[in-house]
Structures are given as C-alpha cells and as structure tokens.
Amino acid sequence: MRFWLILFTVSSAVLAQEAGATHADWPHYGGTQFSWRYSALDQINTSNVKALTPAWLFQTGDYAENLQTTPIVEAGVMYLITARARVFALDAATGREIWNYRYPEPGRNVPGFVGNRGLAIGDGKVFFGTKDNYMVALDQKTGRLLWEVSVDDVQQCGCNITAAPLVAKDKVIVGGSGGDGAHRGYLTAFSTKTGRLAWRWYVIPGPGEKGNETWKGDSWRFGGGAPWLTGSYDPGLNMVYWGTGNAAADFYDADRVPAGADKSKDINLYTASVVALDADTGKLRWYHQEIHDDVWDWDSAYEVLLMDREIRGRIRQTLVHMNKSGLTSVLDRATGELLKVFSVPEVQTWISGITEDGKLVGRVEPQLGKTTTVCPTAAGAKSWNSMAYSPRTGFLYVPVNELCEDITPNNAAPDEGQNYMNGAFPIHLAPGRTTYSHVDAWDPVTGKLAWKVPYKYVLLASMLATAGDLVFTGNPEGEFYALDAKNGNKLWSYQTGAGHRGASVSYAVNGRQFIATSTGWHSSVVGALAQSLFPDQDWRLGSTLVVFALPGGSQ
Amino acid sequence: MKCVAMRRALLLLLVPMLGWSQSLQDTLKRGEQVFSQSCATGYCHGVKGGPSGAPRLAGRGFNQTYIANVVVSGVAGTGMRSFATVLSRPDLTAVVAYVATLNGVANPKIGSDDDEAAAASGPKLTGEAARGGQLFKEAVRGFGRCSTCHEVGGLGISVASGIAQVPASAAALKALATPNVKTGTMNGESMPVLVLSDGKQGTLFYDLTSAPPVQRNAEPGTVKFSDGSNWRHSSVIGAYSDSELTAILAYLRAVIKSQ
C-alpha cells in the first residue's frame, strides 16, 4: 500500500510507471523500451485464468532450431522472426498470415549458431539482424525489403546478430555476438530511414581512449565484450542502456590484465558492465562494471529494466540489471551510482560474498593447469531469457538455475574470429539437491526474496507479468503456466507439446486479451547442454507460436 | 563450385589410403589438443566427445570418412561450421583421427607428409604482401577498411565487383576512376549510388553516401539516375597512408595472381 501511495503522489514516478507497461500493443522486445515484460491488461486475471484456452497457433515451418522470438504486436498485427530469419506478419486475433519474408540462408561455411531472439518495429519498418551480420529493414505493411547493411564480415569476426534490435527515436541499434571469440565487441546504430551508419560504440576503448589502460598490451583488439542482447532506452534522459559481454579469453586472464592490476577495481573496461550511452551520438555517459576481471564467463549482456522506486525515502530513477552470475545491481540510471547489489542463486561458490559497494569477496579463480569447480555456471544462474517486473507487486520475476561447472583453463593464443574462451567447463548438477531451478520473486529495493517456486529441471524461458497479477512462463517439458504474482501459487497450466526456450507476451485486439508464447526446445548451446544433464528426458523441439485467450464471451 | 571442389580434394586427403609416415600416437595426441581447444570449447562439444551444447561425438559409430566430411563441410542449419579453412591441414587430420578413436576406430588412417605438402593451398604471403593482407581487413579501422566494400579470397563484403586489375601504385589507386558510380535521386535527395538492378520489380542499389554502403530497394521508377557522381575512391581510403596502400597493392597482386 505504501508503494502505491507514493506512486500516486509523485507525478514523475507515475509517468515512469506508465512508460514501463504495455497495453493493447507489445511494441518492443522487452514490452516497452523500459524492458519490464509487463502488460497493464487485466482481463485475464487470478480469478479467471483457469479458463484460459488456446485461441490459435502458428507453425513457422522453420525447424532448423527452436522459436525463441519475442513476438511484437502493433495495431492488431503480430510480427515474428524464426531461427533462420524468416519473418511473418500475422493477424494477431486469428493467426492469419498477412505477409512473409525469407532472408536468404547463409552458406554452411558461415560460422555461428542458428537462432534469432526477435525483431523490432519503428518508422513503418520491421528490423532484424542475421547470422551473417546484416541489419535488415522491411516495409511493415508489405514485408518488402527496404534496405540492408553489413554490420561486419562474419568470416573475419566470427560474430552473428541473434538479438532483437532496439529502436530509439530515429535510430535502430543492434549488438552482436562474439564475446567468446577473438573479437572486439560493439554496438552499432543506423538511421531507421536510410540504413546509414549513425554511430558505433566499441565496448573496448582503443589506444588513447580512457579505459584502454585497463588492457594488457594490445589484448584490447581481441578482448570480447560483445553486447549480444537487447538494451533499453529512457527518452527522458535520452540514454540507451546496454549490458556488455564478458572479457575474452573467458577463463584465462594473464594475457589481458595489466601487471599488478587491483582486482577490486575496474579491469578490462567496459566488459561485464552496464553502460549508458547518449542515444544521439553513442557517447559513453556512465558505466558500472559488475565483474572486475571476469574469469568465469560472467556476461553482463542481459536485459536492463528501468523503473522508478523509492529508495531510502526518496524516489530514484533506477535501473535493475542481472549479471550471468546472478549478481543483481540496482543503479541510479541518471548517474550510474550503485544503490543496491544482491545475488539470487542458492548455490554460489565462485565468491564468498559481495560488499555493499559491489566489491567481490573471496574470488575462486580458475588456475592454468588445474580444474576448479564453481557454481553457478557459464550457462548462467539465469540464461539470456528475460526476467519480468510488475509495478503492482514491486517484484522481479526471475528463473534461476542451480548448476555447477569444472573449469580447466588453457592459454591458447587468440586467432581473430575464432573461439577464445580458453577453457573447458563441463557443467553438472549442483550436488545434494533434488530440484535444479526455481522461479523467484525478488524485491529489488530491499534485495529480499518474496517467494520461490522450485522446479526439478532447468528453466530457460522468459517471464511475463501482467496487471491481472499473473506471471507466465514455460518449462522444458512443454508446460506453459501461470503463477499468482503475489505468492507464486500455480493457477493454470497447459501442455504445449514442446519445450519452452523463448518468450511470452500479452496484447489485445478489439478488447480481447491474448497471451502468446513461442515454443520449441533449443537443440544447441545452453538448451542442449541442459538437456544433457537429464539423459532420461527428451525435451521436444519445435517452432510454433501458441496463443491463448479466455473463451469467447467469457471475458 | 571451386570451393566445393577444394573441399572434396581436402576430404580425400584427410582420409588417405596409403602409408603412415607420421607417428599415430603423436597425431592422436595433437588431435586431442585440437579437439579440446577448438571443439570441446565454448558451448560446443563436451570434453572427450561427451554431450554438451553440441551433440555427443563419442560412441556414435561414426567412421573416419563421415567425420572428415562433417569437419570439412560443416552441417547446414546448425552451429557446426566448416573447419576447412579454420584449422591447418595437419590439425584437421589429427582431430579427425582423434574423433575416430572416440568411435572405436583403433587405428585411424593419418596422412603422409607428401599429402600434407600437396594440400597446402593458397598463396603463402610474406613481407609486404602479408602486411597488406592484414591492412586490407584490419578490424580496428572499422568501416574504413578495404574489406568493407571488397571481397578477396573469401574475406570482405562484395559491394564492388571483383578486383580484376591491380593499380600500379598508391597514386594510381587514389586516382582510380569510378564510372560505375552514378548519382541517384530519390524523394528529392541525391546520393552516389552503385546500381545493381533496375526493373519492373524495383530498383536495387548501393547508397554510397557513407560507409558502410547500404543496399536499398526502391519501388519501380522512384529513383532517377544520372551519370557521374561526387564520390571518389580516394576519399574512402583516406585513412590509409601511402606506404600502407602500397602494401595492400602488393597483397592484391599476390592474391589475384594466384587465382
């Protein structure tokens, strides 16, 4: 109640809360540019969700890999992209296809994994990135190709675009993969109108730029840091926020850390960091490095949630961000000041703790020639799938996995565009447990856990929160389900027939609320890796969008 | 077609039918090293071919020919790329032999020194040409590098058509005339363009206003073209010094001569 009183008495906070919620449309990858994955629709709610039933489904026909996409919805039309960059516009009420576009499939000598996490819309166009590193714009009405531009030579950089782009004003901004390769990561912004380059920001500063001194010799050239997911945008501050990838080599740092560097201070900037960039120029406004000298593959590339919350008696414009290790930072998004940090996994052995000002205590670092066991893992306490946030409860909803790994580093030299993790890290189940994941509700202001729902396998699908006080997600066994946002009670579930490694959204057409989820287990990378931990399981692949609503007339 | 033929040749060499002039034990040891650094890494195969982010390779009943085929050609629609140009010949042979042992092949065939020498492909670049090759695609130059618009030897983006003749000097390179670049006018805006096609389906062209070039697709009849433009090759290579351009020309001469 106190939270709501504050909300209604502070006008700026009210505006920010409205900006974070979606309504009839789901216009951005994270719902809105504030990335809450929260819908203000409440037609489907805790009292009637048990009646939720499939309304339509759409089989993409692209079974090279699963459907990971976050569907985008605007004015009753849904836009989808599949693993091999086949794009569909559908009637969001019925699933009827309006148009489709097939991006020419890159040749088999093109390095990288097959997959695409989403597209973006803006300026009357649909934008997406490709495995061979093109940024493409289609006409939103017809699917006609308008422009495409090469972001980098895939054969040289070994990098791909798997993330949804972010549209901010007249620019479309996209990151790429390559954080685990001998590559120098960057964000690139293009004019939505013409496709011309607007700016590029390199995660790793070049010679003469501040921060370059945090790299040994010329290791900055191949130091990774790729921001391989999607950022957020605050129009009021005109800043875009992005998480950056881990430093490369991932598990071996002697070739990249300057001699005598203090590991309690910034090292290998701006890897494993949250950064704020001027949306118009791409200039760095502030940064916060979450892991100084990362040697565990702890990307900070994950989603950035922007919200206004009361902290120590005052409304702050905050940003909430989780690192792959499960460390979660709350920052002032105007200045980068660290306001709170807490850790979410139950099993955490890579550090013994963290100080209030974000310093890691008791680092357990892999050593050359030895094998070191740490928990959680490079697969993530949370993987790239997004958390959600509800302003009604004030909770973050987070899928957390409890796994460990045995890291054996090596000191191989970098080879441009090739894998540069420098280590094997076989993953295994955290010992002495019977459940290996849980959906958590965390209050980011207090850093306190409100409730958790354990699950026996892993959870690798994004979360969706709604004003109906529901939280939706899916599991690898194919079950898509709704939890009560206040206490975690399971209120409804539906077996969709294939594992969940994608995302769900909510939208409305002609007053009818829908819940849509992408389905299909992921057959490579973290999906396959997780599957291998449970050899008696056979989580089903697929590429189908399943859409639910209340039965006609009952809403 | 050339690429396919090369792969076939490489494949044959990776599974030789004749003599072993190299210690099998050494090859398998090297194969295990290559496997741990290039295959059992990242989110790919598991240690010793166990399950991980990519499929298990041990105990699958794969024969050596099949393994060599996959390593050389990759698997379409998956993360398994072709390693034909990634690993050296001896390393390819070694890793194929190693994976074969994981599949119960006790004495995998390994190549002879002659095979390996014969398989060395592509020009060996040294000195200035090698430096020029690096400069041509130097990532630190961002969109200011040659490979932003030129593809040579499988690297770079083929915006421009293939380089058929190499200018004699840096001065000649700067003075290069570019008659193919025209001026396009669309929605009242003029820009230097390289036209790819202009027909009933629409107009496909590169907008060269700034780097990188943008391939644009306009509705039929909406772009008007006129000969000539204000675009100059000399302005887009301005970040290179004359000595760097001279090295790049040496590289192009070496590569194009060898093709």
Side-chain angles (χ1 to χ4, degrees), chain A residues 26-237:
Chain A
W26 188 278
H28 292 273
Y29 175 75
T32 68
Q33 291 161 316
F34 282 27
S35 302
W36 292 0
R37 289 185 180 259
Y38 169 79
S39 167
L41 301 176
D42 62 0
Q43 186 180 85
I44 301 165
N45 54 50
T46 53
S47 64
N48 62 15
V49 67
K50 58 183 177 296
L52 203 58
T53 190
W56 57 270
L57 58 79
F58 182 76
Q59 304 214 40
T60 70
D62 182 359
Y63 302 112
E65 189 46 282
N66 65 334
L67 188 63
Q68 299 184 351
T69 195
T70 296
I72 298 295
V73 181
E74 186 177 73
V77 179
M78 175 183 287
Y79 303 90
L80 285 182
I81 185 164
T82 70
R84 285 184 286 190
R86 296 174 183 178
V87 182
F88 296 91
L90 309 174
D91 181 323
T94 65
R96 178 184 59 85
E97 183 176 313
I98 298 168
W99 56 255
N100 74 72
Y101 172 84
R102 281 191 177 205
Y103 183 74
E105 190 171 354
R108 64 173 61 188
N109 65 333
V110 170
F113 289 97
V114 177
N116 195 304
R117 301 184 174 108
L119 44 72
I121 57 169
D123 191 26
K125 301 180 181 71
V126 173
F127 302 100
F128 61 94
T130 70
K131 185 185 179 191
D132 58 351
N133 268 326
Y134 277 79
M135 182 75 208
V136 183
L138 307 178
D139 185 305
Q140 192 176 343
K141 281 205 175 75
T142 64
R144 178 190 167 87
L145 176 69
L146 293 178
W147 56 255
E148 62 181 14
V149 59
S150 170
V151 180
D152 208 337
D153 179 2
V154 64
Q155 295 292 1
Q156 183 178 348
C157 71
C159 52
N160 323 108
I161 301 173
T162 52
L166 175 75
V167 173
K169 295 199 292 191
D170 59 347
K171 295 179 181 61
V172 55
I173 307 164
V174 71
S177 69
D180 298 327
H183 172 61
R184 181 186 178 208
Y186 47 72
L187 288 169
T188 316
F190 299 95
S191 157
T192 56
K193 185 179 173 196
T194 63
R196 291 175 193 151
L197 180 71
W199 50 258
R200 169 169 283 187
W201 179 77
Y202 283 96
V203 171
I204 305 176
E209 295 176 311
K210 187 178 174 301
N212 183 263
E213 72 284 357
T214 66
W215 293 84
K216 181 178 179 179
D218 65 357
S219 61
W220 60 273
R221 293 165 65 101
F222 296 140
W228 50 277
L229 285 168
T230 304
S232 297
Y233 174 59
D234 183 338
L237 294 167

Side-chain angles (χ1 to χ4, degrees), chain B residues 150-164:
Chain B
H150 294 280
E151 186 264 359
V152 172
L155 283 180
I157 308 300
S158 52
V159 173
S161 49
I163 299 171

